[in-house]
Amino acid sequence: NDRFVLQNYNLAACFEVVNQPESAFLSHVDREFHEAWRMMLIAIVMRSDLSSHYEELGLLQTKIAAPDFPDPTQLEHRLTLLSSTVRLAEVSWGCRPQPTFKRWANLMVEELFMQGDLEKQIGVPVSPFCDREIVSKPRCQVSFLLVVVNPFVAAFSAQFDNVKKELVDEGCEANQTFLQAAIR
């Protein structure tokens, strides 16, 4: 299986830890609850793949526009909120204060470059944003903020007014301004 490799690996590692006697926090629940928890965790983690980012963003925006969202009795609403929270955690470095933001932004670009280096070594086409010889770090970072982080954070924070100022105004927008100044 070469689809969602990272997500499948993370789930396998998670279940390996959870099944250890010292980590078996679900040992006191019945089989039905355990299976429901397992299936929900799998659904949430599988939705975290970046290839489904725009689908998940559209789903979140659609759900937020519905008058009955969030309804905790609806499984799809719970999955949407939980998977959106995981995705937000994954891209939240784009909203952090500048010292933290710069460190994570550089790590993100370096990870892309290492992927491009490997792709060159094995003779396959280099993925977008992964060629260190032609990609500008600040341009790549600001593109990621504009295309991936900002739209998702804005949609998520629309549901939770108390985080908008910190995440969007003081976080993403400040970091975007910082990067755009570095490009000039």
Side-chain angles (χ1 to χ4, degrees):
N1 178 8
D2 61 353
R3 290 186 35 86
F4 307 116
V5 175
L6 181 60
Q7 286 70 22
N8 282 307
Y9 173 81
N10 288 336
L11 284 166
C14 174
F15 292 134
E16 187 175 312
V17 169
V18 168
N19 289 327
Q20 299 296 319
E22 64 273 12
S23 305
F25 66 92
L26 294 172
S27 61
H28 68 285
V29 300
D30 62 37
R31 184 84 179 140
E32 185 179 325
F33 181 90
H34 186 274
E35 269 308 301
W37 176 85
R38 183 179 178 281
M39 296 310 292
M40 185 171 271
L41 183 62
I42 290 170
I44 291 165
V45 171
M46 296 309 271
R47 288 169 107 167
S48 71
D49 188 76
L50 192 57
S51 67
S52 64
H53 176 78
Y54 295 105
E55 180 181 340
E56 291 298 315
L57 175 59
L59 179 65
L60 177 62
Q61 290 169 327
T62 301
K63 295 284 186 200
I64 287 172
D68 66 336
F69 184 79
D71 179 351
T73 65
Q74 292 189 34
L75 176 61
E76 184 56 36
H77 285 202
R78 291 194 314 265
L79 282 173
T80 299
L81 275 178
L82 290 168
S83 61
S84 295
T85 302
V86 169
R87 184 172 305 278
L88 179 67
E90 188 174 36
V91 300
S92 67
W93 59 265
C95 308
R96 301 287 181 207
Q98 275 187 16
T100 304
F101 164 74
K102 289 193 296 192
R103 187 175 83 238
W104 280 97
N106 285 328
L107 288 170
M108 185 265 308
V109 172
E110 188 54 36
E111 181 179 340
L112 292 174
F113 288 167
M114 289 181 352
Q115 176 181 329
D117 296 344
L118 286 172
E119 290 169 339
K120 286 178 183 180
Q121 282 180 347
I122 62 173
V124 298
V126 177
S127 298
F129 299 107
C130 294
D131 192 337
R132 69 175 70 244
E133 295 173 22
I134 61 171
V135 172
S136 156
K137 273 188 178 185
R139 287 182 191 277
C140 179
Q141 292 163 339
V142 78
S143 296
F144 193 80
L145 279 181
L146 288 170
V147 174
V148 176
V149 178
N150 289 2
F152 195 83
V153 170
F156 188 90
S157 64
Q159 183 66 30
F160 305 100
D161 294 331
N162 58 329
V163 298
K164 183 189 179 300
K165 183 176 188 293
E166 182 180 347
L167 290 178
V168 179
D169 302 341
E170 296 171 1
C172 290
E173 290 177 5
N175 291 330
Q176 181 180 325
T177 300
F178 165 76
L179 286 174
Q180 287 172 329
I183 292 171
R184 290 184 195 123

